[in-house]
Amino acid sequence: WEDAAGGKVLQFLSDSMDGSDATTSTSFQNVHSLDITPAATSSKIMVWVNVSFLMSGSTRPNAGLQILRDAEVIWSISGEGIQYHSFGSGGEVGAHFSAAYLDSPSTTSATTYELQSKVGSGETLTIQGASSGDWTNSSGIHLMEIGA
């Protein structure tokens, strides 16, 4: 057996939201961010986001989520791409959503990864954090640098 070249985890950072964040904005707004400083320009960054949310105001929700690297959108999903589960009698919708993206930032400078959200007109989206009552899943960002 030969030693594997590259692919070693160089660092792992994780940050969960505390509390909750509600928005009625129909344009993307910052929800949470995390910085990482890659050790090499050849490194890859695995970006994971976990989002637990509650939505109200529509029977056909039109939320959107996106991940940015230093203000550049690198991943986005909205509308029918997000699976929802209705519950309660007030027309509320709740879900837990996870996404992963393998990024190549090609830098050794501090890099900010940001999660943003938006809703459709008349809707309210509340993203749940670690201390949001009875929710068992919290929202956050997780970054893993992988050496080349």
Side-chain angles (χ1 to χ4, degrees), residues 43-121:
S43 291
K44 305 285 188 202
I45 305 294
M46 177 61 81
V47 182
W48 285 280
V49 295
N50 297 313
V51 183
S52 291
F53 62 89
L54 180 65
M55 190 167 209
S56 60
S58 175
T59 57
R60 191 175 180 93
N62 191 27
L65 300 169
Q66 62 184 21
I67 301 171
L68 290 79
R69 178 195 353 101
D70 290 335
E72 177 186 344
V73 176
I74 58 172
W75 179 90
S76 186
I77 191 170
S78 62
E80 297 298 321
I82 301 175
Q83 298 298 310
Y84 304 96
H85 304 283
S86 297
F87 62 91
S89 59
E92 294 177 325
V93 175
H96 182 80
F97 184 83
S98 296
Y101 181 82
L102 184 61
D103 191 31
S104 301
S106 300
T107 186
T108 55
S109 298
T111 303
T112 301
Y113 288 90
E114 184 176 1
L115 172 64
Q116 294 186 336
S117 68
K118 71 173 186 171
V119 294
S121 181

Side-chain angles (χ1 to χ4, degrees), residues 17 19-23 31 50-54 64-65 115-118 125-129 132 138-140:
M17 287 179 58
S20 61
D21 182 56
T23 186
V31 173
N50 297 313
V51 183
S52 291
F53 62 89
L54 180 65
L65 300 169
L115 172 64
Q116 294 186 336
S117 68
K118 71 173 186 171
L125 176 70
T126 303
I127 295 181
Q128 306 295 318
S132 299
S138 63
S139 302

Side-chain angles (χ1 to χ4, degrees), residues 1 3 14 27 40 55 64 87 95 120 125:
W1 296 89
D3 290 337
S14 182
S27 59
M55 190 167 209
F87 62 91
L125 176 70

